[in-house]
Amino acid sequence: MIVLGIESSCDETAVGIVRDGKELLGSVVASSMDLHAQYGGVVPEIAARSHIEAVLPAIQQALHDASCTWNNIDGIAVTQGPGLLGSLLIGVLTARTLAITKNKPLYAINHVEAHLYVNFLTESRLPQITPRKNQPSFPLLGIIVSGGHSQIVYFRDHSDYELLGQTHDDAIGEAYDKVAKMLGLPYPGGPSVSKLAQQGNPHRYTLPKAHMSGKYDFSFSGVKTAVLRLAQQLVGGDFMLPSIELPHLLSQSQKADIAASFAFTACETIVDKVLLAYKEFSPQSIIIGGGVAADRELRRQLEERLPCPIEYPDMKLCGDNGTMIAALGCFEAMRNNTQANPYTLEAMPTLSM
Ligand code: KG4
Ligand code: ZN
């Protein structure tokens, strides 16, 4: 079962080809990130236009890399949501058209759920991507930490899951990006904060962790505001001091200590809840996905505090990619799950798990 997956929910036009949900055959990620950098965030119209230009070349390249022709492809999977409407539309319409013209089954994929599915890859034809040694076992806990989501999900089996908790405001990646702006770090902010944090003292400043009424829920807007107040105070300003002034007034070592203290607290917030869920559900495996899964502090804390071993996906598969869509698509196809109608499938920007 070979599935071609198309991802276009945000600023990455990505295509992956996966066999049997476990073998990576091809993966192409074309990002329009550079075009957004000057605006400090993704501009939806620019992202949508870039998808139009990039999607067909990305598909051709992925087929070429995987040494496949359309004859070898058994199904097409596409991100249906959540994401930016204009961006999603390009992927969905491309997949619908190909499903009709190439006469292939079509699978509509939830982007957030798919982030976890790179953990099922145990073989890779691409030398630059290292797969995991073992596939995870059910029941499992899935942790999704991205720019749009922070959630813990309990999976009894494929397609059989329960959302235990999620953020009530900012996602963890969003908080990383906003802290990066306060510190004047280059776009995209998450990786920049993560890198600078390695040079700072994570215990230099104590930042607050939100206590939520939902046992497994999160909030990251408080810690983000606490970072702003701390930085204003360190440079001798009050809460009226615009955050745009901060990068020039903070010293390099203050920035590194703020980044480290923030990353420490944000990751601890996640790991606290993962430990709680581990005790309650005794899962066979814990898997993690989404852009922030590449953060070294998060991986360090998970390894230090979890009572069980944890395997991570390749860093290059943590952010948005088409491989995760193809991997989940394989499982949908292998389990004979409902196919999407290529004449009617619609993008769903607010799709949730
Ligand atoms: O999964 P993803 O690529 O897109 C969404 O589905 O949102 O996640 C993007 C988020 C951004 O907020 C980005 O800053 C963050 O993941 N991110 C990181 C790292 N790499 C990406 N955050 C912390 N450390 C990283 N190494
Ligand atoms: Zn994502």
Side-chain angles (χ1 to χ4, degrees):
M1 175 63 67
I2 300 183
V3 171
L4 180 140
I6 302 174
E7 153 62 29
S8 73
S9 65
C10 191
D11 58 339
E12 268 93 24
T13 317
V15 179
I17 300 179
V18 173
R19 189 206 301 268
D20 297 338
K22 63 178 184 198
E23 186 185 2
L24 172 55
L25 304 181
S27 179
V28 173
V29 181
S31 178
S32 57
M33 191 185 282
D34 293 349
L35 300 175
H36 306 286
Q38 58 177 309
Y39 304 102
V42 175
V43 182
E45 290 79 4
I46 295 178
R49 204 175 311 137
S50 303
H51 288 306
I52 296 174
E53 288 165 12
V55 71
L56 292 178
I59 291 170
Q60 289 306 332
Q61 186 67 46
L63 286 168
H64 174 267
D65 294 353
S67 307
C68 284
T69 67
W70 279 106
N71 288 337
N72 306 116
I73 302 295
D74 300 303
I76 297 172
V78 65
T79 302
Q80 183 183 23
L84 301 168
L85 177 61
S87 291
L88 290 167
L89 274 174
I90 311 304
V92 168
L93 287 173
T94 305
R96 283 172 52 176
T97 309
L98 288 169
I100 295 165
T101 54
K102 307 289 181 192
N103 195 23
K104 306 287 176 188
L106 179 63
Y107 298 93
I109 301 295
N110 180 316
H111 174 97
V112 184
E113 181 184 356
H115 261 303
L116 294 173
Y117 272 74
V118 290
N119 287 285
F120 287 88
L121 298 171
T122 52
E123 295 164 53
S124 169
R125 278 219 204 143
L126 305 181
Q128 69 274 26
I129 292 185
T130 312
R132 284 174 48 131
K133 289 196 179 62
N134 302 298
Q135 278 201 336
S137 313
F138 292 99
L140 61 80
L141 275 182
I143 310 155
I144 300 136
V145 278
S146 71
H149 294 82
S150 313
Q151 48 194 49
I152 302 187
V153 188
Y154 178 65
F155 279 79
R156 286 174 209 90
D157 199 348
H158 297 288
S159 321
D160 179 9
Y161 58 77
E162 186 184 331
L163 177 62
L164 300 181
Q166 60 187 327
T167 182
H168 281 226
D169 39 60
D170 290 358
I172 183 169
E174 203 177 342
Y176 267 79
D177 295 337
K178 287 176 180 166
V179 167
K181 274 196 180 171
M182 292 176 211
L183 302 181
L185 300 177
Y187 177 86
S192 309
V193 171
S194 186
K195 200 166 156 209
L196 185 62
Q198 300 293 309
Q199 298 162 25
N201 174 0
H203 305 294
R204 178 73 181 82
Y205 306 114
T206 305
L207 294 165
K209 282 192 285 184
H211 294 282
M212 310 298 290
S213 53
K215 197 173 171 188
Y216 297 111
D217 284 344
F218 302 105
S219 162
F220 289 101
S221 72
V223 65
K224 172 197 69 186
T225 308
V227 167
L228 174 63
R229 298 287 173 259
L230 168 68
Q232 287 166 326
Q233 190 196 335
L234 285 174
V235 301
D238 64 13
F239 69 93
M240 296 291 281
L241 183 76
S243 60
I244 199 162
E245 311 255 344
L246 292 170
H248 313 291
L249 299 171
L250 289 164
S251 71
Q252 198 51 32
S253 73
Q254 282 173 325
K255 287 182 189 176
D257 287 345
I258 292 175
S261 302
F262 161 75
F264 178 82
T265 306
C267 295
E268 198 176 52
T269 307
I270 298 281
V271 180
D272 285 350
K273 305 272 165 141
V274 176
L275 273 177
L276 211 58
Y278 181 80
K279 286 192 187 119
E280 183 172 344
F281 294 94
S282 309
Q284 292 288 315
S285 306
I286 297 179
I287 57 176
I288 180 160
V292 186
D295 184 50
R296 291 191 189 281
E297 176 60 16
L298 183 58
R299 292 181 174 209
R300 189 193 67 73
Q301 288 193 27
L302 283 168
E303 251 143 63
E304 188 180 280
R305 296 180 61 198
L306 279 179
C308 61
I310 176 164
E311 252 197 88
Y312 301 106
D314 188 294
M315 293 279 193
K316 289 185 270 318
L317 294 178
C318 290
D320 291 347
N321 62 81
T323 302
M324 65 192 213
I325 307 302
L328 178 50
C330 279
F331 285 100
E332 299 270 325
M334 292 188 297
R335 298 167 66 84
N336 287 322
N337 286 3
T338 314
Q339 294 176 20
N341 183 335
Y343 291 95
T344 57
L345 180 69
E346 288 192 24
M348 292 183 67
T350 58
L351 187 67
S352 59
M353 273 188 83

